[in-house]
Amino acid sequence: MKKIVYTLLFLACTISTFAAQLTGKVIDAGSKQPIDFANVSIMQGDNLITGTITDEKGNFSIEVADGQYTLVVSFMGYSEQRKDITVAGKPLAVGRISLKEDTQVLRDVEVVAQGSSMRFELDKKVFTVDQNIASAGASVTDVLENIPSVDVDQEGNISLRNSEDVEIWINGKPAGLNSENRGQVLQQMPAGTIEKIELITNPSAKFSPEGSAGIINLVMKKDRAAGFYGSIQAGIDYALAKPWTTPPGANAGLNINFNAGPVDGYFNVGYRYHSSNGGSTTDRYNLNGTGSEKLDSSLIASHLTQEGLQTHGGGGMFARAGLNFRLAEGHTLGVSGFGMISTRDKGLGMANSNHRTYLLTDPLGNVMRDFTRDQKGVGSHPGGNATLDYTFELDNHKLNVSGTYNNFGFNMDTYYEQQDLDLITQDTIFSYQDQASWSKEQGIDIKADYEWKPTQQSRLEAGYNYTRSWSKSFADAHNRDADGTVLEELYPYYADFNGRTQNHALYITYGNRFFNKLSIQVGLRGEYYMRHLESFYKDETGAIVDSYAGMEHKKDTAYFQIYPSAYIGYDFGNGHELQLNYTRRVRRPWGHQINPRMDLSDSTNISYGNVDLLPAYSNNLELNYLKTWERHTLSAGVFWKYNEGAIQNVKYMDGNVMKNTYLNITTRQELGIEIVAKNRLFGELLQLTTSANFYWNNIAAVHDTIIHQGDVIPVNLDKQNIFAGSVRLTAQFMFTKDFSGQIRANYRSPRVVAQGTTSHSYSIDLGLRYTLLNKQLALALNVRDLLDSRARRNTTWGDGFWQFSENRWHSRSISFTITYNFGNQQPRRRQGKNDGDMSSGSDDFDDSGNSNMDY
């Protein structure tokens, strides 16, 4: 019986007895570029038998029963093409179908339907920023906050599927964005410069294994429509939450695109100023023993309460430009880059500030310490990126060579005024400190990628990738008097830290397609990674030394690792697709996680890095199902991630002072379900996108020690388990052809961290857009965080403490943006091969029309 069942299952999955596969490709007759979303219809006389649309590469694939038909291909602004075909029980490739522009139709046609804000591809999910009404005048950070499976907090920390170990790329390449700088960069980057955002949770061996959660790829706008065109944008926003002390924010931008024969280019420049208020609360109980999830009042030794009020403001300029030269048939040379300068200063009369009050009491409520601390800071964040790439294509061969250089800096001067209450005399004792810090990060990325299609259904890719980075940071601190005169240097807060890395990587992938149904790809990537860390300190005499209080001067690491990947997909036809993939990935500690610098901002809560951190490895497995209907799409997936040596923030007590550093936790597992549905309802009135993630999270128990300044500190972490989830809903309304709206809402349940839990969070955003003057002028009104609910609340416990902390961001605001489009505004012809394409093997295997599943 088992043999019979297995045989029937195999035959059902590999044999199609009722229909043949019809494939082809639709291109622009003039530019020879693919046309996406073209309509493909199969007709018998006046009767429509079936139909589909082309993908972003211009390819289409459709099942048709045996018989004689008329193939009809059409697209807005083009003349219709018809072709008689005969289907006789085997796959039929109709080749390339060229459409010619119909200028009369282009002038007369009027589009009322709204475009899709999200589409599914087999190796990624793609979100179109142009359709995101609530992103008008916003930054890339604001857009990411509302992408399914992505979370962004007020400090700019980005997580994907509950993990901050995610890579942020630009146009399919690393751009020097890491946990140290990407918050500032993405906050200054205008959303209007982004065409789409791609989520790739399991990239193939062709791409770097860095980031166990995957890659978020920002594809920048680079249209190539003939002629000259662009837009001008300006906007203002104002906070609607108390206290009413922040000035309004503002943004302005200019975008220009042009195409002149073999050369096309683009230039964008924008300015943004933003401000916000926030607050914080901390209740920490110092214990005579080890804390647990529920506070044991019998263990309380003292109680610290802290209340804070923060004001943040800053602005800056962001610019990007690029040129592409089509040197000859098959030869393309491109140069592009971006630059920014972001400031944290008085701006429009407001400095970044933080006011905190502290009260320490004993178990009977008697005051042990009472003080306040005010903080003001000024700083800047300059940086940029430049890329040079060359592509050569000949028949079934393609070679791409690129080089990228990035350089980012950060400078910050912070000043503190502390007022301690003398508990005996009730006098106020004033003290003053300052801390200066700066850092600089540089990097290069050189890639050579070769692709060969030996047959219509197979693909071989191989390549080499070299990366190198340099990081240098410096900090020192002083005690001062009220006039600013330096009284003494605070030697424990001096840090001169340098880091260098090199990485050599080779990869190879092979993919094939069988029966026009089954797609398989396997890949292997080998990397040799080297890291050198070097630190200098000051001793009690002020002398610079290479070791201090047990802290190491140099730390070298070198190792070779392999990262396999595997993919299998099956197309059942009629919109049913199933895929299974596996990758091995790595998280290499860097930046503040390994920098021993201590922060002076809060004397009761000090953070520093751990130079002994090791890489964390993960094994990721996903099973995804995709079903498409004419007006609906459903994606359902199961994912499992197993982390070895997962890096977590760990807290411990040193007297009444809490200290924070990072440790390699033994293991961390996640088993989850991800569901995404896209529905068009009530004609074209409503487009609904719903996403939900539910997962089981487990952190294994660990017993370890931290060696810091000669002290051996035990760290005991209990096993943590939780079932968590998040839900997001985006509703886009097309009230008329010129008037549209959007509602976005999300909810995230409590989840676990290394020593505790993080509570739930939720938010709602609203947006309206109205266009006039034949869509040349667009007006957008948005309300962000309608309920003023964005906050992070943590409950943590460990040896000697139990703590609840809350950080609130008064981010409720209203904004108004006006955009004017000028020049040639003909519909864009999407490029078949653009720099942002992250699909490993996303082109069709043969240009005659046989398509394949994207790898």
Side-chain angles (χ1 to χ4, degrees), residues 73-112:
V73 181
S74 62
F75 186 67
M76 180 190 69
Y78 289 86
S79 298
E80 182 181 271
Q81 286 284 355
R82 289 174 171 262
K83 183 177 183 178
D84 292 331
I85 60 174
T86 300
V87 180
K90 62 179 181 180
L92 175 64
V94 298
R96 297 187 178 188
I97 300 173
S98 300
L99 297 185
K100 295 181 179 180
E101 286 192 14
D102 187 329
T103 56
Q104 182 64 40
V105 172
L106 187 61
R107 285 194 300 268
D108 294 343
V109 72
E110 183 176 65
V111 179
V112 177

Side-chain angles (χ1 to χ4, degrees), residues 134-349:
S135 68
S139 68
V140 174
T141 299
D142 299 326
V143 177
L144 286 172
E145 286 181 351
N146 290 278
I147 298 295
S149 304
V150 178
D151 288 285
V152 185
D153 66 21
Q154 195 71 1
E155 285 80 21
N157 299 314
I158 299 171
S159 61
L160 176 62
R161 286 183 176 173
N162 196 41
S163 173
E164 292 185 11
D165 184 23
V166 57
E167 289 292 293
I168 308 294
W169 285 13
I170 294 179
N171 286 340
K173 302 180 180 69
L177 303 185
N178 54 44
S179 58
E180 304 300 303
N181 59 42
R182 64 193 183 196
Q184 292 82 11
V185 175
L186 299 181
Q187 182 62 41
Q188 287 302 121
M189 187 181 295
T193 62
I194 303 295
E195 177 184 343
K196 59 186 178 181
I197 296 174
E198 300 175 338
L199 301 187
I200 309 101
T201 52
N202 262 9
S204 74
K206 179 178 180 179
F207 304 106
S208 169
E210 190 75 40
S212 62
I215 297 171
I216 299 176
N217 183 41
L218 309 177
V219 181
M220 313 295 282
K221 288 182 178 178
K222 194 173 66 172
D223 300 335
R224 291 181 179 175
F228 171 86
Y229 62 99
S231 64
I232 301 174
Q233 185 180 83
I236 188 170
D237 62 83
Y238 195 79
L240 297 177
K242 295 181 179 180
W244 311 91
T245 57
T246 58
N251 66 85
L254 170 66
N255 304 299
I256 295 175
N257 298 265
F258 66 90
N259 183 299
V263 180
D264 59 72
Y266 58 89
F267 173 73
N268 314 129
V269 62
Y271 172 80
R272 288 181 55 82
Y273 178 82
H274 56 91
S275 60
S276 65
N277 286 322
S280 63
T281 300
T282 299
D283 274 300
R284 181 191 307 156
Y285 294 88
N286 301 322
L287 306 178
N288 294 315
T290 301
S292 58
E293 184 172 2
K294 185 177 181 180
L295 176 64
D296 186 346
S297 58
S298 66
L299 299 178
I300 296 176
S302 61
H303 178 206
L304 175 71
T305 60
Q306 176 263 319
E307 294 285 343
L309 178 64
Q310 298 90 35
T311 301
H312 299 281
M317 192 78 68
F318 180 91
R320 60 181 292 266
L323 286 172
N324 291 282
F325 304 90
R326 290 177 286 281
L327 306 176
E329 183 68 25
H331 297 264
T332 304
L333 180 67
V335 58
S336 61
F338 70 83
M340 59 166 284
I341 176 67
S342 173
T343 60
R344 295 183 177 184
D345 54 21
K346 293 184 178 180
L348 302 177

